[in-house]
Amino acid sequence: MIRLLGTKHLLGHRLWIKDFPKPTKQIQIPYLIVGGGISGLSAARQFHKKGISDFLIVELENHLGGNSSNGENKYSKYPLGAHYLPLPNFQDKELLQFLEEEKIILKYDEKGFPVFDELQLTFAPDERLFYKNNWQEGVVPKEGNLISDDLEFEKFFKKMDVFRTAKGEDQKYLFDIPLHLSSKDEKTRALDKITMKQWFTDNHFTSEPLYNYIDYCCKDDFGLGIEYVSAWAGIHYFAGRKQDSTPEKHDSVLTWPEGNSCLANHLKKYTKDKSLKNHLVYEVKVENNKVIAKAFDDVNKTSVEIIANKVIMASPQFVNQYLINDRKAFTKDFHYTPWLLATLVVNDLFDNFSFPLSWDNVIYDAKGLGYVYDQHQTVNQVQDKKVITYYYSFSSADLKKTRKELYKKDKEYWKQFVLNDLKVAHPDIEEYTEDVEVFLLGHGMISPAPGFIFGEAKKQAKQNIQNKIYFAHSDLSGISIFEEAFHQGINVVNEIVDGTTVDS
Amino acid sequence: MGKKFLRFEFLLLFAVFIIATCGLIYELVAGTLASYLLGDSVKQFSFIIGVYLFSMGIGSFFSKFFNKNLLNTFVEIEILVGLIGGLSSVVLFLLFESVGSFQFILYLFVFVTGFLVGLEIPLLMNILKDRVEFKDLVSNVFTFDYIGALLASILFPLVLVPKLGIMGTSLFFGMINVSIAIALCFLLKRELKKPSLLRAKAIFSFVLLLVFFIFSNDILAYSEGKLYGENIIYTNSTPYQRIVLTHNKSDYRLYLNNNLQFSSADEYRYHEALVHPAMSMAKSVENVLVLGGGDGLAVREILKYKDVKKVTLVDLDEGMTKLFKTNSVLTNFNQNSLNNPKVTVINTDAYIWAKNNKEKYDVAIIDFPDPSNYSLGKLYSLNFYQTIKTILKPNAAVVIQTTSPYFAPKSFWCINKTVMQVFPQVDAYHVYVPSFGEWGYTIAINGFRTTFNTVNRKADGLKFYNYQFDRFNYFTNDMISNQIEINRLDNQILVRYFDEEWGKLQ
């Protein structure tokens, strides 16, 4: 069985021509949230915390969660996007608070460190890499390197350790999460002007395994590889997370079979009876001191007019440019990497048994980013069938062109593409695969190409419109991670309710 | 005439060559088998070569007593060498376990083969002495003899043993040996007396060897069981494990995935020590839980207490519990405990079961396989013990099989330390089980209303445990390990310790 699924790109494309019926219904609501991804859901939670309950969240898909959604088959849940949350930085009290509310942090120990729920931390063994025809522990190539490779790895990680703890003159971390807390240090921000590859060369690195490893890491977090990603973003991957919330300095992550859908579900409770799904908002404008939003109901094929005092656009900027006037000029600087996810049901996963199946299984020099074993976080002894999710990001110089090609290929093509990429480590995988579900995300995540994070486009896109229309989305931070979206949602509500603004 | 004679001579010389090759092969087979079965290969090979050469000498000595029908005798010896040499490995394999005097039989075979080969050369020289010049005769016979020896010693380790196996090799060369005899019967039928009788003998021997050759794998499989010192009386592969039950004299042994689970000779030590301390300390024993332990031996011990009203056994493998409910040899061991009306057997994943279970227990006996992989390691994690705590009554006692504190001290104390994070009172103890070695347990009490030295009740008729717990919780320095981490699902440090410690021993 092969299925080809994806986000509702065809409905989305109707925004280009806007052939929607005239509204036949009207809704009045003080606060409207457009977009049910993590930013929108986090805004809903923050409204709740501020004692505000008269808000409505509108979502195009038939479910809330955005990139933090999941699928489920007979054997397991599996992610359809984001699938883990690194342990938060100790200073990120908002996030720690959320994790404590949801019993992901169970308590704080006598030294003040959070105690994470053992069942939600990645079980051991967490990572393995297929390198030089062997599975080895961890994703850093180790066994089989040249001595010169090992020395470069050592040098590289030392540099990252320095970046991780270094602060600028403003006493802020050079690299922090959320990103806007990072130092304004000019020299560091200049790194956003060059690619990670440039930085690699400038720092006299030459090792191929190191190059591949950094390329893998960049794609993992940003979709873009070392050739195209901003060096500031590339370094942020390693230095942004302080690994300071456990006494052992763990770099482990929290994960669930359904991926970050678990976190989205925690947030969804704040939107009970306050959400409108299958609704595509196609126009938002200020009129008579109110915001008028028009939405198309994809189930009943009718349109609705929503009249709100304030609107939070928790939708990505490539969508917003079609809803609100005068946004196309700066939106063209927002680039989004397409992603492909393939969830496979396999009877077995034979390999050469050099290191056991782990949560994250990476194949060195493969096209994709490897696969996640979706049942890893279960306590069972045995599984009838194994469910794995393969990740592939379309890193390229021309993402638009890539996206067009993505939708041209059929499911058989993608199935073969995925299997061929996995065959390096699992030669028999095709024989053992009984089901493949391919999920395409045309605009998978915002891509921090050089100049974007500290550029003008982002700054302009963030500006609220007449204190009526506000913007909150991870693409406004520049990197697509849970923490950014989570803070975007909180900050926008604080701005609306308390009038506080977050500088950047 | 000259041409025909030449053929006669060469035929016999070729026979010498084959005899020499085969003779050495039999010697090598005997040496390999002896070192394989008895160990100490230097000694075995040395003795066998010595005995073989010596017996060849004896054979040569006795050759002078053969005066009549030399050619017939030669062919008969050829058949006999093929038959005895060819069958030697089969007989030795099959007899290894059942015969006390295995070495005697081994050397008897070597001697007989050597003796017969020793007879042949002088015999042959006697046959040819009147037809060939003595100088040529000696030189030719020994040349072929030694070439054959070289060929055999090169082929044996490089080609024969890898391709045919030891048994196959000896049978194959037995057949070659006998086929030379058959060929001689046909080619020299004018020189031989009663060639048809000789031919019949030869063909019969050949067929016999061929039959054994065809079935050599089955014979090997049968004898392999004996090789491990035990008869395999039952094997079954369930979806979870391979169960093998063996029998040797009065001892039955159960292997799960080739790991010894119990030996009937001393399992009472393991199971009395597993069950009775916890059962005697617990506040109450009405409701008892067993996790793992599908063999029903722990349940047998539990049922020795009259106060026990209910026993719940959770074991993943239905194949295992079914076997121990139905096989009469096995129900004899567990005294039919799994069919006792007080006992409920649940075949499911213990971890998942414990998470969903609502009932609470007075005693929990946890008898899982050793943490040899990441799946099993989960059953020794902090979260697992926290889960177990939720299904225990206050002051319940829980005992956990904790691998060997002698072979794997880090693993042992890792489990112990992990349990300490969860229960208010925790101790460790160990016993000597001959078939396992020094074996240990972690014991905990879910409260403070009883202690490890409290004996609330006793069962009668124990062979080993005497209810003096403080005799078992002392550990000598070689069984102690410090600086141990707690085993959690996200570090699975125990599996690493276990691998490191048992890996060293393998």
Side-chain angles (χ1 to χ4, degrees):
Chain A
M1 268 280 283
I2 330 166
R3 271 160 286 123
L4 184 65
L5 307 170
T7 45
K8 283 192 188 171
H9 69 283
L10 291 177
L11 181 60
H13 290 170
R14 284 181 66 181
L15 288 173
W16 298 345
I17 41 169
K18 294 208 184 173
D19 56 342
F20 302 108
K22 281 208 153 42
T24 51
K25 222 169 78 178
Q26 208 180 54
I27 298 173
Q28 306 247 5
I29 191 86
Y31 299 100
L32 174 67
I33 303 169
V34 177
I38 295 300
S39 320
L41 291 170
S42 169
R45 170 176 171 272
Q46 191 65 6
F47 271 135
H48 177 88
K49 289 197 170 290
K50 294 280 180 189
I52 293 168
S53 59
D54 41 3
F55 61 87
L56 180 70
I57 186 163
V58 182
E59 166 62 45
L60 152 74
E61 300 284 338
N62 64 4
H63 62 274
L64 301 174
N67 264 357
S68 298
S69 298
N70 75 289
E72 185 168 3
N73 60 29
K74 218 161 67 181
Y75 310 102
S76 180
K77 292 178 177 176
Y78 51 88
L80 291 176
H83 59 285
Y84 65 94
L85 174 67
L87 293 189
N89 291 345
F90 193 65
Q91 287 188 355
D92 192 347
K93 300 299 175 202
E94 298 268 17
L95 186 51
L96 291 175
Q97 166 70 28
F98 168 63
L99 298 179
E100 198 181 355
E101 283 165 19
E102 302 307 339
K103 298 192 172 60
I104 295 168
I105 290 174
L106 300 177
K107 59 176 183 186
Y108 285 82
D109 69 11
E110 59 275 13
K111 286 179 198 143
F113 286 111
V115 176
F116 292 93
D117 181 13
E118 202 179 333
L119 292 170
Q120 305 188 59
L121 285 167
T122 319
F123 293 180
D126 58 351
E127 294 169 333
R128 63 173 182 167
L129 174 72
F130 193 76
Y131 178 54
K132 309 232 164 181
N133 291 318
N134 261 319
W135 285 107
Q136 47 180 271
E137 188 171 13
V139 292
V140 179
K142 283 187 196 111
E143 291 149 43
N145 287 344
L146 302 173
I147 293 172
S148 58
D149 293 327
D150 287 337
L151 290 173
E152 285 200 24
F153 269 105
E154 205 179 304
K155 182 177 142 194
F156 174 77
F157 286 122
K158 264 194 193 137
K159 277 186 185 289
M160 294 303 126
D161 288 342
V162 171
F163 279 131
R164 189 176 302 115
T165 48
K167 290 183 175 178
E169 274 178 21
D170 48 6
Q171 291 311 305
K172 289 178 166 179
Y173 279 120
L174 297 183
F175 299 90
D176 207 350
I177 297 173
L179 207 144
H180 69 81
L181 296 178
S182 306
S183 168
K184 290 194 170 54
D185 180 72
E186 283 303 320
K187 211 178 127 210
T188 312
R189 288 198 169 191
L191 291 167
D192 187 44
K193 303 228 161 64
I194 59 169
T195 64
M196 191 65 186
K197 185 182 177 180
Q198 186 65 49
W199 180 87
F200 184 86
T201 318
D202 290 351
N203 285 273
H204 314 293
F205 287 112
T206 54
S207 160
E208 189 192 298
L210 177 63
Y211 183 90
N212 275 323
Y213 168 72
I214 299 172
D215 186 49
Y216 162 80
C217 292
C218 291
K219 283 183 185 168
D220 187 43
D221 246 22
F222 312 121
L224 281 184
I226 185 169
E227 279 180 275
Y228 309 114
V229 80
S230 133
W232 193 93
I235 295 167
H236 185 273
Y237 175 92
F238 299 96
R241 301 199 168 100
K242 306 301 171 199
Q243 306 174 359
D244 57 356
S245 60
T246 57
E248 303 98 342
K249 293 254 166 211
H250 268 318
D251 59 349
S252 50
V253 305
L254 296 156
T255 191
W256 309 267
E258 69 272 34
N260 287 9
S261 186
C262 171
L263 296 171
N265 286 335
H266 288 311
L267 292 169
K268 278 180 206 171
K269 62 170 164 284
Y270 302 105
T271 67
K272 199 167 173 276
D273 304 323
K274 292 188 177 70
S275 70
L276 223 47
K277 289 160 218 160
N278 292 307
H279 276 67
L280 167 67
V281 174
Y282 62 85
E283 191 182 297
V284 180
K285 59 183 172 193
V286 181
E287 238 178 63
N288 303 326
N289 214 24
K290 292 274 182 187
V291 187
I292 317 272
K294 290 176 187 163
F296 172 65
D297 178 346
D298 191 37
V299 176
N300 298 312
K301 310 294 174 195
T302 56
S303 292
V304 55
E305 189 175 69
I306 305 164
I307 301 171
N309 297 339
K310 312 233 175 199
V311 173
I312 295 170
M313 299 301 293
S315 39
Q317 308 320 310
F318 73 88
V319 170
N320 292 344
Q321 66 177 336
Y322 298 109
L323 313 189
I324 303 165
N325 284 337
D326 305 325
R327 295 184 71 80
K328 291 202 169 125
F330 51 79
T331 304
K332 69 171 174 24
D333 287 340
F334 284 71
H335 300 288
Y336 300 83
T337 318
W339 279 77
L340 175 146
L341 277 65
T343 297
L344 278 66
V345 177
V346 294
N347 292 320
D348 220 312
L349 258 185
F350 291 111
D351 54 36
N352 68 4
F353 301 105
S354 39
F355 191 80
L357 180 60
S358 304
W359 170 64
D360 192 13
N361 305 272
V362 180
I363 300 168
Y364 181 84
D365 220 8
K367 294 193 176 82
L369 296 172
Y371 63 89
V372 165
Y373 173 40
D374 296 312
Q375 292 139 311
H376 191 73
Q377 295 298 106
T378 56
V379 294
N380 302 36
Q381 287 297 296
V382 281
Q383 302 288 355
D384 289 348
K385 311 267 164 149
K386 290 192 167 76
V387 182
I388 61 172
T389 299
Y390 166 91
Y391 281 77
Y392 180 82
S393 84
F394 294 82
S395 170
S396 78
D398 188 348
L399 295 171
K400 239 181 200 163
K401 198 174 138 206
T402 310
R403 191 171 306 118
K404 272 185 193 153
E405 279 165 15
L406 170 77
Y407 286 117
K408 271 188 207 154
K409 305 278 200 288
D410 66 356
K411 57 186 181 181
E412 195 56 45
Y413 172 87
W414 291 123
K415 179 193 145 183
Q416 224 42 57
F417 177 91
V418 172
L419 290 174
N420 288 343
D421 206 21
L422 292 172
K423 270 179 194 168
V424 178
H426 303 285
D428 305 329
I429 191 153
E430 190 160 4
E431 224 174 291
Y432 294 102
T433 301
E434 64 176 45
D435 188 86
V436 181
E437 182 182 295
V438 176
F439 191 81
L440 299 175
L441 294 107
H443 295 81
M445 53 167 66
I446 185 71
S447 304
F452 178 72
I453 289 178
F454 300 112
E456 271 306 303
K458 213 183 87 175
K459 217 179 267 173
Q460 287 177 22
K462 255 190 218 176
Q463 294 301 320
N464 72 55
I465 300 173
Q466 299 172 37
N467 288 325
K468 295 279 175 219
I469 305 175
Y470 295 80
F471 297 90
H473 193 271
S474 61
D475 64 0
L476 295 172
S477 88
I479 60 175
S480 181
I481 58 175
F482 178 87
E483 298 93 315
E484 296 292 343
F486 176 76
H487 284 284
Q488 288 274 337
I490 292 174
N491 294 341
V492 77
V493 170
N494 290 347
E495 189 182 344
I496 291 171
V497 178
D498 308 332
T500 55
T501 50
V502 174
D503 60 334
S504 84
Chain B
M1 175 73 202
K3 215 175 183 184
K4 196 182 161 202
F5 174 71
L6 212 63
R7 198 189 70 168
F8 180 80
E9 192 200 347
F10 272 109
L11 211 61
L12 291 181
L13 284 177
F14 183 64
V16 170
F17 169 71
I18 295 295
I19 292 163
T21 312
C22 294
L24 197 68
I25 293 280
Y26 303 140
E27 181 191 336
L28 290 171
V29 165
T32 310
L33 258 182
S35 26
Y36 185 31
L37 298 173
L38 303 171
D40 196 351
S41 56
V42 173
K43 186 176 108 188
Q44 302 303 345
F45 266 100
S46 174
F47 281 12
I48 279 169
I49 291 170
V51 170
Y52 184 78
L53 291 176
F54 170 70
S55 46
M56 272 175 76
I58 306 256
S60 300
F61 176 78
F62 279 96
S63 68
K64 65 181 169 200
F65 300 112
F66 291 90
N67 295 317
K68 276 182 259 171
N69 290 338
L70 286 185
L71 198 57
N72 271 45
T73 313
F74 179 78
V75 175
E76 272 181 333
I77 289 173
E78 184 89 358
I79 297 170
L80 215 52
V81 173
L83 204 59
I84 293 174
L87 288 175
S88 62
S89 65
V90 178
V91 175
L92 288 172
F93 254 116
L94 292 178
L95 291 186
F96 175 60
E97 254 309 301
S98 32
V99 178
S101 46
F102 174 76
Q103 295 212 35
F104 173 76
I105 293 172
L106 172 75
Y107 285 108
L108 187 67
F109 264 110
V110 173
F111 179 82
V112 172
T113 320
F115 180 83
L116 292 173
V117 172
L119 268 179
E120 285 201 294
I121 306 284
L123 219 54
L124 191 75
M125 290 169 95
N126 266 322
I127 294 170
L128 295 175
K129 69 173 183 228
D130 305 327
R131 318 188 192 202
V132 188
E133 204 180 314
F134 185 71
K135 202 171 78 180
D136 288 345
L137 179 66
V138 173
S139 107
N140 284 346
V141 167
F142 283 103
T143 305
F144 280 98
D145 187 20
Y146 292 131
I147 291 175
L150 176 71
L151 190 72
S153 55
I154 290 172
L155 283 181
F156 185 74
L158 297 182
V159 181
L160 300 171
V161 175
K163 293 273 181 231
L164 297 174
I166 296 171
M167 201 185 280
T169 300
S170 71
L171 286 166
F172 183 69
F173 275 82
M175 289 192 292
I176 291 183
N177 230 327
V178 175
S179 47
I180 286 295
I182 296 173
L184 289 177
C185 287
F186 278 103
L187 297 169
L188 304 179
K189 62 180 171 224
R190 281 191 217 145
E191 278 87 353
L192 285 167
K193 287 175 186 160
K194 292 189 191 167
S196 51
L197 178 67
L198 214 50
R199 204 159 56 214
K201 281 184 193 168
I203 290 172
F204 172 77
S205 305
F206 186 84
V207 170
L208 189 70
L209 288 167
L210 184 68
V211 169
F212 275 103
F213 184 74
I214 290 166
F215 291 104
S216 65
N217 276 338
D218 297 301
I219 299 167
L220 198 67
Y222 172 73
S223 59
E224 220 55 314
K226 298 177 165 233
L227 199 59
Y228 293 107
E230 299 151 37
N231 290 316
I232 294 174
I233 58 169
Y234 178 88
T235 62
N236 183 22
S237 289
T238 74
Y240 309 108
Q241 54 201 346
R242 183 163 171 77
I243 303 172
V244 175
L245 183 68
T246 67
H247 177 214
N248 179 31
K249 298 186 184 118
S250 62
D251 184 20
Y252 288 83
R253 287 177 178 227
L254 184 83
Y255 294 84
L256 298 179
N257 292 339
N258 299 326
N259 293 317
L260 179 62
Q261 185 72 7
F262 71 77
S263 153
S264 65
D266 58 20
E267 58 81 11
Y268 69 92
R269 284 184 153 240
Y270 176 83
H271 289 102
E272 286 189 10
L274 174 70
V275 170
H276 297 294
M279 289 296 281
S280 61
M281 291 164 197
K283 248 329 199 194
S284 161
V285 294
E286 278 186 19
N287 198 4
V288 180
L289 173 66
V290 183
L291 299 180
D295 54 26
L297 298 170
V299 178
R300 175 193 69 200
E301 297 301 316
I302 292 165
L303 292 172
K304 288 180 179 168
Y305 295 88
K306 301 278 173 295
D307 309 348
V308 173
K309 290 197 175 136
K310 192 178 163 197
V311 181
T312 306
L313 180 134
V314 182
D315 192 294
L316 182 59
D317 194 354
E318 193 182 357
M320 177 87 177
T321 52
K322 215 172 186 176
L323 179 64
F324 278 86
K325 273 181 180 179
T326 50
N327 182 300
S328 60
V329 176
L330 300 174
T331 52
N332 203 20
F333 288 135
N334 64 25
Q335 291 168 15
N336 211 14
S337 64
L338 296 182
N339 292 312
N340 189 295
K342 289 178 183 175
V343 179
T344 311
V345 175
I346 300 171
N347 295 116
T348 189
D349 191 285
Y351 206 141
I352 303 286
W353 177 86
K355 277 197 168 302
N356 299 326
N357 188 52
K358 297 281 175 282
E359 209 173 317
K360 291 191 190 285
Y361 301 88
D362 297 298
V363 177
I365 312 279
I366 302 179
D367 192 12
F368 290 134
D370 284 343
S372 56
N373 61 46
Y374 287 104
S375 287
L376 288 166
K378 294 176 191 173
L379 297 173
Y380 294 84
S381 67
L382 183 65
N383 182 272
F384 178 74
Y385 296 125
Q386 284 164 342
T387 308
I388 293 303
K389 190 180 159 85
T390 64
I391 58 168
L392 293 181
K393 289 185 195 167
N395 299 297
V398 50
V399 62
I400 298 144
Q401 100 67 11
T402 318
T403 190
S404 168
Y406 175 73
F407 295 116
K410 278 182 172 177
S411 310
F412 182 88
W413 294 106
C414 171
I415 300 168
N416 189 263
K417 192 171 173 183
T418 307
V419 174
M420 274 191 187
Q421 309 302 308
V422 179
F423 293 100
Q425 292 191 74
V426 177
D427 203 354
Y429 62 101
H430 62 104
V431 297
Y432 181 69
V433 183
S435 60
F436 283 5
E438 203 63 48
W439 216 258
Y441 312 83
T442 286
I443 191 162
I445 294 169
N446 190 26
F448 291 102
R449 303 272 312 271
T450 182
T451 71
F452 294 118
N453 293 319
T454 311
V455 178
N456 287 316
R457 64 197 68 75
K458 287 183 180 182
D460 295 330
L462 302 191
K463 283 196 270 186
F464 173 70
Y465 189 62
N466 59 1
Y467 293 100
Q468 285 181 287
F469 182 75
D470 54 8
R471 295 278 181 89
F472 298 95
N473 63 357
Y474 173 75
F475 287 82
T476 49
N477 283 339
D478 59 349
M479 292 193 275
I480 301 271
S481 190
N482 297 314
Q483 304 276 316
I484 296 297
E485 280 187 63
I486 293 159
N487 187 45
R488 292 192 319 254
L489 291 167
D490 59 299
N491 68 5
Q492 292 251 28
I493 191 76
L494 173 63
V495 175
R496 288 163 197 268
Y497 290 146
F498 189 84
D499 188 51
E500 177 192 317
E501 294 180 314
W502 285 97
K504 261 192 307 207
L505 300 171
Q506 281 156 9

